[in-house]
Amino acid sequence: MTAPTTATDVNQPSLEHAPKAGRRMSWPVLLLVIAGALALTSLVRLITGANGITNVSQMSTALQLAVPIGLAGLGGLWAERAGVVNIGLEGMMILGTWFGAWAGFQWGPWTGVLVGLVGGALGGLLHAIVTVTFNVNHIVSGVAINILALGATRYLAPLAFEGHQGGSAKQSPAVDSLGHFTVPGLSDWLSDLNDRGWFFVSDVAGLLGGLVTDVSWLTLIAVALVPATWWILWRTPFGLRLRSCGENPVAAESLGVNVYKYKYLAVIISGALAGLGGVFLSIVANPFYLEGQTSGRGYIGLAAMIFGNWMPGGLAIGAGLFGYTDSLNLRGGSTNVHALLLLGALLLVIGAIWLAVRKKYLHAVITLIVGALVFAWYAGTNEVPNQVVSATPYVITLVVLALSAQRLRMPKADGMPYRKGQGK
């Protein structure tokens, strides 16, 4: 005799049994892939002589540029795990930059951090009211918030900043630094090891050195938020309820979960995290608010979240990749990007071999041809145009999303309208 099926058995939201787009990569395999990519980069460095692609300064800059992207991506992760698409991350970052700088230059940088969080959370609250309560299309609401945030800050900036020393209609007065830290001894040792130019070892030293040299306290907080998000969403009852709202809100409601409450909380937290990314831009990356300083990082954060398959660890890798490519603009961009053409060609050849092993011969041939063209570009030039350097982060965004599209699985109810009691 089989046991009777209960309502709980039928309606229990189960993330473990949700359809998957492919096997999830285990941590040992992922670490091997990262090590292999770093070894290949080290080989390219030795061939081309472009030592800047893995030095401590490059990695430190990459970390600084990755933080706001990662925070925006974390914001998107919280909202979409609860079933709300948040295209408004860019606008919430803009609110964070303005509110953070406005409070920071008057009452100190840490007050600016808190007020910037509140500014982004207000944008999240507005998005939640429009999408959760009134069931407006999530994309339309997000775009409207981006436009509203840009217009509001342009209107408020002259009122708040003009008349103060260093302030203008498009820029705030300077904000005091939050402070930086360097791990004594370890930083110098890693920097010395990196300068030796050894294969792989010096590149690992450069990567680790960037994590312990001249790091802002807000960077440390941002990095800690990645494992904190994973623990809250995947290891607590609160996180299970929140994720169930993004997978099957009707089933979650049948088990007593207040779906509206969890969606509101998730989107407000989403806005606060995006606002924190904006604060980083206006207090850490630059000690002032500057109109347009987000430069689309909210959208790139959303791309990093998708690349990471709606998981914090993958998101962090995506943010690091985009931050690294963005850092090429600031440190020897033309030389470094030219060296990375060789890296791209090698990766394409490896990809072609992998496709051939899997008997996808047409895809393998196309990939090999593209790799040959990239190598010809590298071999026939000594540098790349500055326009290519500037476009590199956005090109990488498109390429990575295109390559990772086949293994993605978004929350099942992400972006779908929901009304309380609709399952009855």
Coordinates of all heavy atoms in Angstrom, one line a residue, residues 169-210:
A169 N 26.4 72.0 -10.8 CA 25.1 71.4 -11.2 C 25.3 69.9 -11.6 O 24.3 69.2 -11.6 CB 24.5 72.1 -12.4
K170 N 26.5 69.5 -11.8 CA 26.7 68.1 -12.3 C 27.7 67.4 -11.3 O 28.0 66.2 -11.6 CB 27.2 68.1 -13.7 CG 26.2 68.6 -14.7 CD 26.8 68.4 -16.1 CE 25.7 68.8 -17.2 NZ 26.2 68.6 -18.5
Q171 N 28.1 68.0 -10.3 CA 29.1 67.4 -9.4 C 29.0 67.8 -8.0 O 28.6 69.0 -7.7 CB 30.5 67.7 -9.9 CG 31.7 67.1 -9.1 CD 33.0 67.5 -9.6 OE1 33.3 67.4 -10.8 NE2 33.9 67.9 -8.8
S172 N 29.2 66.9 -7.1 CA 29.1 67.2 -5.6 C 30.4 67.7 -5.1 O 31.4 67.4 -5.7 CB 28.6 66.0 -4.9 OG 29.7 65.1 -4.8
P173 N 30.4 68.3 -4.0 CA 31.7 68.6 -3.3 C 32.4 67.3 -2.9 O 31.7 66.2 -2.9 CB 31.3 69.4 -2.0 CG 30.0 69.9 -2.3 CD 29.3 69.0 -3.3
A174 N 33.6 67.3 -2.6 CA 34.4 66.1 -2.3 C 33.9 65.5 -1.0 O 33.5 66.2 -0.1 CB 35.9 66.4 -2.2
V175 N 33.9 64.1 -1.0 CA 33.6 63.4 0.2 C 34.8 62.8 0.8 O 35.7 62.3 0.1 CB 32.6 62.2 -0.1 CG1 32.2 61.5 1.1 CG2 31.3 62.8 -0.9
D176 N 34.9 62.8 2.1 CA 36.1 62.2 2.8 C 36.2 60.7 2.5 O 35.2 60.0 2.3 CB 36.0 62.4 4.3 CG 36.2 63.9 4.7 OD1 36.8 64.7 3.9 OD2 35.7 64.3 5.8
S177 N 37.4 60.2 2.6 CA 37.7 58.8 2.3 C 37.2 57.9 3.4 O 37.2 58.3 4.6 CB 39.2 58.5 2.1 OG 39.4 57.1 2.0
L178 N 36.7 56.7 3.1 CA 36.3 55.7 4.1 C 37.5 55.0 4.6 O 37.4 54.3 5.7 CB 35.4 54.6 3.4 CG 34.0 55.0 3.0 CD1 33.3 53.9 2.2 CD2 33.2 55.3 4.3
G179 N 38.7 55.2 4.0 CA 39.9 54.5 4.5 C 40.2 53.2 3.7 O 39.3 52.6 3.1
H180 N 41.5 52.9 3.6 CA 41.9 51.7 2.9 C 42.8 50.9 3.8 O 43.3 51.4 4.8 CB 42.7 52.0 1.6 CG 41.9 52.7 0.6 ND1 41.5 54.0 0.7 CD2 41.4 52.3 -0.6 CE1 40.8 54.4 -0.4 NE2 40.7 53.3 -1.2
F181 N 43.0 49.6 3.5 CA 43.9 48.8 4.3 C 44.7 47.9 3.4 O 44.3 47.6 2.3 CB 43.1 47.9 5.3 CG 42.4 46.7 4.7 CD1 43.0 45.5 4.6 CD2 41.1 46.9 4.2 CE1 42.4 44.4 4.0 CE2 40.4 45.8 3.6 CZ 41.1 44.6 3.5
T182 N 45.9 47.6 3.8 CA 46.9 46.7 3.2 C 47.4 45.7 4.2 O 47.7 46.1 5.3 CB 48.0 47.5 2.5 OG1 47.6 48.4 1.5 CG2 49.1 46.5 1.9
V183 N 47.4 44.4 3.8 CA 47.9 43.4 4.8 C 49.4 43.5 4.8 O 50.1 43.2 3.8 CB 47.4 42.0 4.3 CG1 48.0 41.0 5.3 CG2 45.9 41.9 4.3
P184 N 49.9 44.0 5.9 CA 51.4 44.2 6.0 C 52.2 42.9 5.8 O 51.7 41.8 6.3 CB 51.6 44.8 7.4 CG 50.4 44.4 8.2 CD 49.3 44.3 7.2
G185 N 53.3 42.9 5.2 CA 54.1 41.8 4.9 C 53.6 40.9 3.8 O 54.3 40.7 2.8
L186 N 52.4 40.5 3.8 CA 51.8 39.6 2.8 C 51.7 40.4 1.5 O 52.1 39.8 0.4 CB 50.5 39.1 3.2 CG 49.7 38.2 2.2 CD1 50.5 37.0 1.9 CD2 48.3 37.9 2.7
S187 N 51.3 41.6 1.5 CA 51.2 42.4 0.3 C 52.5 42.6 -0.4 O 52.7 42.5 -1.6 CB 50.6 43.8 0.6 OG 50.6 44.6 -0.5
D188 N 53.6 43.0 0.4 CA 54.9 43.2 -0.2 C 55.5 41.9 -0.7 O 56.1 41.9 -1.8 CB 55.8 43.8 0.9 CG 55.4 45.1 1.4 OD1 54.8 45.9 0.6 OD2 55.8 45.5 2.5
W189 N 55.3 40.8 0.0 CA 55.8 39.5 -0.5 C 55.1 39.1 -1.8 O 55.8 38.7 -2.8 CB 55.5 38.4 0.6 CG 56.0 37.1 0.1 CD1 57.3 36.7 -0.1 CD2 55.2 36.0 -0.2 NE1 57.3 35.3 -0.5 CE2 56.0 34.9 -0.5 CE3 53.8 35.7 -0.1 CZ2 55.5 33.6 -0.9 CZ3 53.3 34.5 -0.5 CH2 54.2 33.4 -0.8
L190 N 53.8 39.3 -1.9 CA 53.1 38.9 -3.2 C 53.5 39.8 -4.3 O 53.7 39.4 -5.5 CB 51.6 39.0 -2.9 CG 51.0 37.9 -2.1 CD1 49.5 38.2 -1.8 CD2 51.1 36.5 -2.7
S191 N 53.7 41.1 -4.0 CA 54.1 42.1 -5.0 C 55.5 41.7 -5.6 O 55.8 41.8 -6.8 CB 54.1 43.5 -4.5 OG 54.5 44.4 -5.4
D192 N 56.4 41.3 -4.7 CA 57.8 40.9 -5.1 C 57.7 39.7 -5.9 O 58.4 39.5 -6.9 CB 58.6 40.7 -3.8 CG 60.1 40.3 -4.2 OD1 60.8 41.1 -4.8 OD2 60.4 39.1 -3.8
L193 N 56.9 38.7 -5.5 CA 56.7 37.5 -6.3 C 56.2 37.7 -7.6 O 56.6 37.1 -8.6 CB 55.8 36.5 -5.5 CG 55.9 35.0 -5.9 CD1 57.3 34.5 -5.7 CD2 54.9 34.3 -5.0
N194 N 55.2 38.7 -7.7 CA 54.6 39.0 -9.0 C 55.7 39.7 -9.9 O 55.7 39.4 -11.2 CB 53.5 40.0 -8.8 CG 52.8 40.4 -10.1 OD1 52.8 41.6 -10.4 ND2 52.2 39.5 -10.8
D195 N 56.6 40.5 -9.4 CA 57.6 41.2 -10.2 C 58.6 40.2 -10.8 O 59.3 40.6 -11.8 CB 58.3 42.2 -9.4 CG 57.4 43.4 -9.0 OD1 56.4 43.6 -9.7 OD2 57.7 44.1 -8.0
R196 N 58.7 39.0 -10.3 CA 59.7 38.1 -10.8 C 59.4 37.5 -12.2 O 60.2 37.0 -12.9 CB 59.9 36.9 -9.8 CG 60.5 37.4 -8.5 CD 60.7 36.2 -7.5 NE 61.3 36.7 -6.2 CZ 62.6 36.9 -6.0 NH1 63.5 36.6 -6.9 NH2 63.0 37.3 -4.8
G197 N 58.1 37.6 -12.5 CA 57.7 37.1 -13.9 C 57.7 35.6 -14.1 O 57.8 35.2 -15.3
W198 N 57.6 34.8 -13.0 CA 57.6 33.4 -13.2 C 56.3 32.9 -13.8 O 55.2 33.6 -13.6 CB 57.8 32.7 -11.8 CG 59.1 32.9 -11.2 CD1 60.3 33.3 -11.9 CD2 59.5 32.8 -9.9 NE1 61.3 33.4 -11.0 CE2 60.9 33.1 -9.8 CE3 58.8 32.5 -8.7 CZ2 61.6 33.1 -8.6 CZ3 59.5 32.5 -7.5 CH2 60.8 32.8 -7.4
F199 N 56.3 31.8 -14.5 CA 55.1 31.2 -15.1 C 54.1 30.8 -14.0 O 54.5 30.1 -13.0 CB 55.5 30.0 -16.0 CG 54.3 29.3 -16.5 CD1 53.5 29.8 -17.5 CD2 53.9 28.1 -15.9 CE1 52.4 29.1 -18.0 CE2 52.8 27.4 -16.4 CZ 52.0 27.9 -17.4
F200 N 52.9 31.2 -14.1 CA 51.8 30.9 -13.3 C 51.9 31.4 -11.8 O 51.0 32.0 -11.3 CB 51.6 29.3 -13.3 CG 50.3 28.9 -12.6 CD1 49.1 29.2 -13.2 CD2 50.3 28.3 -11.4 CE1 47.9 28.8 -12.6 CE2 49.1 27.9 -10.8 CZ 47.9 28.2 -11.4
V201 N 53.1 31.1 -11.2 CA 53.2 31.5 -9.8 C 53.1 33.0 -9.6 O 52.4 33.5 -8.7 CB 54.6 31.0 -9.2 CG1 54.8 31.5 -7.8 CG2 54.6 29.5 -9.2
S202 N 53.8 33.8 -10.5 CA 53.7 35.2 -10.4 C 52.3 35.7 -10.7 O 51.9 36.7 -10.2 CB 54.8 35.8 -11.4 OG 56.1 35.5 -11.0
D203 N 51.6 35.0 -11.6 CA 50.3 35.5 -12.0 C 49.3 35.2 -10.8 O 48.4 36.1 -10.5 CB 49.8 34.7 -13.2 CG 50.7 35.0 -14.4 OD1 50.7 36.0 -15.0 OD2 51.6 34.1 -14.6
V204 N 49.5 34.1 -10.1 CA 48.6 33.9 -8.9 C 49.0 34.9 -7.8 O 48.1 35.4 -7.2 CB 48.9 32.4 -8.4 CG1 48.2 32.2 -7.1 CG2 48.4 31.4 -9.4
A205 N 50.2 35.2 -7.7 CA 50.6 36.2 -6.7 C 50.0 37.6 -7.1 O 49.6 38.3 -6.2 CB 52.2 36.4 -6.7
G206 N 50.0 37.9 -8.4 CA 49.4 39.2 -8.8 C 47.9 39.2 -8.5 O 47.3 40.2 -8.0
L207 N 47.2 38.1 -8.7 CA 45.8 38.0 -8.4 C 45.5 38.2 -6.9 O 44.6 38.9 -6.5 CB 45.2 36.7 -8.9 CG 43.8 36.4 -8.6 CD1 42.8 37.4 -9.2 CD2 43.4 34.9 -9.0
L208 N 46.3 37.4 -6.1 CA 46.1 37.5 -4.6 C 46.5 38.9 -4.1 O 45.9 39.4 -3.1 CB 46.8 36.4 -3.9 CG 46.4 34.9 -4.3 CD1 47.3 33.9 -3.6 CD2 44.9 34.7 -3.9
G209 N 47.6 39.4 -4.7 CA 48.1 40.7 -4.2 C 47.1 41.8 -4.4 O 47.0 42.7 -3.6
G210 N 46.3 41.7 -5.5 CA 45.3 42.7 -5.7 C 44.2 42.7 -4.7 O 43.4 43.7 -4.5

